């Protein structure tokens, strides 16, 4: 994707808004992010307030390239290997906070570690380059709600709080970045996401542990209930019950009410791209409940199932 004249002007204006402490939403290859100047504690506080996000849940710092990570902390050898393989792209690395790191304490929830990512989306890259500093960006939704994959989703959740929404159309991947903690010893996956576990294992030569199993705390943000539509969600449905809308995968179950098919050809990559828009559409359909068909737990299916389990968790 190349940026046209108006896009360049919009990006310059958005960078200027970040400089004055305002919030700017922008597309990444995963989901839309809600950006703030990572060095500006007041801007970061406004970001937490806009999302109604618990302050113990730290943010991801976005930078335009791996060289910019040097201002934040040091990538250990295993982090450099992962960065070389997946950046720019949908991988977030947790590293130890460097001594000269000027990221606002609120952004890291006071932790000694910081989450960093180099997004691949051209609009995100252009904004980070124009701004010239690190930008914190959680997904641009109300805390706990379904993540946004279009500019309209951002406007629906946060419209009044953002100075600008850079509209890059639907985000290509549709689920969040994979979060890998490389801050101490063996790398640990803290959040399943767009980079599959098999892709990580191919690069490192062995499978990675999943957070929690090693005694290290999982991501503070991995609450049991998250990514949730307003209507209750029932997983692994073998039949659709009266009053239920259907979230289908492959050949739809017989049903009477509203239906969105994540992928008629049962492709997990297509299903990930459609997941959050589908949940929002079924929420808007007014159906009192949603039944989801099973999705094989392979490739991106793992991240999709992780999100569906959290979306279905009891409030
Ligand atoms: O794809 C993405 O990662 C999107 C786009 C906008 O970049 N961002 C995103 O941010 O999903 P957010 O805030 O919704 O999720 C960030 C996750 C949370 O689970 C948070 O707890 C975790 O990263 N995290 C951030 N800093 C951390 C740290 N120092 N240690 C452990 N987990 C951390
Ligand atoms: Mg989020």
């Amino acid at each position: 994707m190349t940026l046209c004249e108006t896009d360049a002007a919009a990006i310059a204006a958005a960078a200027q808004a970040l400089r004055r402490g305002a919030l700017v939403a922008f597309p990444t290859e995963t989901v839309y992010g809600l950006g703030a100047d990572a060095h500006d504690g007041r801007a970061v506080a406004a970001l937490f307030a806009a999302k109604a996000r618990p302050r113990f849940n730290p943010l991801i710092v976005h930078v335009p390239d791996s060289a910019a990570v040097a201002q934040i902390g040091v990538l250990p050898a295993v982090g450099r290997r992962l960065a070389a393989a997946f950046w720019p792209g949908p991988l977030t690395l947790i590293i130890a906070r460097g001594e000269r790191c000027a990221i606002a304490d609120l952004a890291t929830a006071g932790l000694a570690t910081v989450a960093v990512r180099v997004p691949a989306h051209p609009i995100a890259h252009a904004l980070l380059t124009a701004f010239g500093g690190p930008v914190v960006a959680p997904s641009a939704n109300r805390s706990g709600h379904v993540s946004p994959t279009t500019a309209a989703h951002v406007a629906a959740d946060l419209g009044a709080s953002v100075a600008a929404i850079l509209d890059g159309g639907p985000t290509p991947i549709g689920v969040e970045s994979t979060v890998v903690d490389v801050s101490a010893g063996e790398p640990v996956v803290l959040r399943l996401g767009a980079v599959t576990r098999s892709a990580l294992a191919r690069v490192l030569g062995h499978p990675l542990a999943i957070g929690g199993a090693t005694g290290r705390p999982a991501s503070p943000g991995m609450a049991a209930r998250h990514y949730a539509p307003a209507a209750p969600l029932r997983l692994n449905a073998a039949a659709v019950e009266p009053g239920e809308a259907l979230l289908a995968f492959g050949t739809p179950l017989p049903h009477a009410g509203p239906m969105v098919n994540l992928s008629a050809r049962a492709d997990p990559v297509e299903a990930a791209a459609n997941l959050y828009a589908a949940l929002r559409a079924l929420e808007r359909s007014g159906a009192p409940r949603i039944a989801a068909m099973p999705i094989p737990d392979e490739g991106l299916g793992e991240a999709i199932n992780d999100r569906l389990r959290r979306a279905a968790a009891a409030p």
Side-chain angles (χ1 to χ4, degrees), residues 94-121:
I94 308 294
I95 62 173
R97 218 184 136 103
E99 270 172 28
R100 289 177 300 121
C101 175
I103 302 296
D105 282 332
L106 183 54
T108 58
L111 296 174
T113 53
V114 48
V116 286
R117 139 162 154 82
V118 178
H121 197 290

Side-chain angles (χ1 to χ4, degrees), residues 162-195:
V162 290
I165 303 174
L166 294 171
D167 187 352
T171 56
I173 297 176
V175 289
E176 293 81 354
S177 62
T178 302
V179 178
V180 178
D181 185 350
V182 294
S183 68
E186 280 298 303
V188 176
V189 176
L190 297 186
R191 177 174 75 181
L192 294 165
V195 174

Side-chain angles (χ1 to χ4, degrees), residues 30 33 53 57-58 60 62 113 115 117 138-139 176-177 191 219-221:
T30 57
R53 181 179 177 110
N57 188 7
I60 298 172
H62 295 64
T113 53
R117 139 162 154 82
S139 50
E176 293 81 354
S177 62
R191 177 174 75 181
S219 270

Side-chain angles (χ1 to χ4, degrees), residues 51 53 138-139 141 147 176 191 226-227:
K51 279 192 56 119
R53 181 179 177 110
S139 50
N141 51 279
S147 296
E176 293 81 354
R191 177 174 75 181
H226 208 118
Y227 313 99

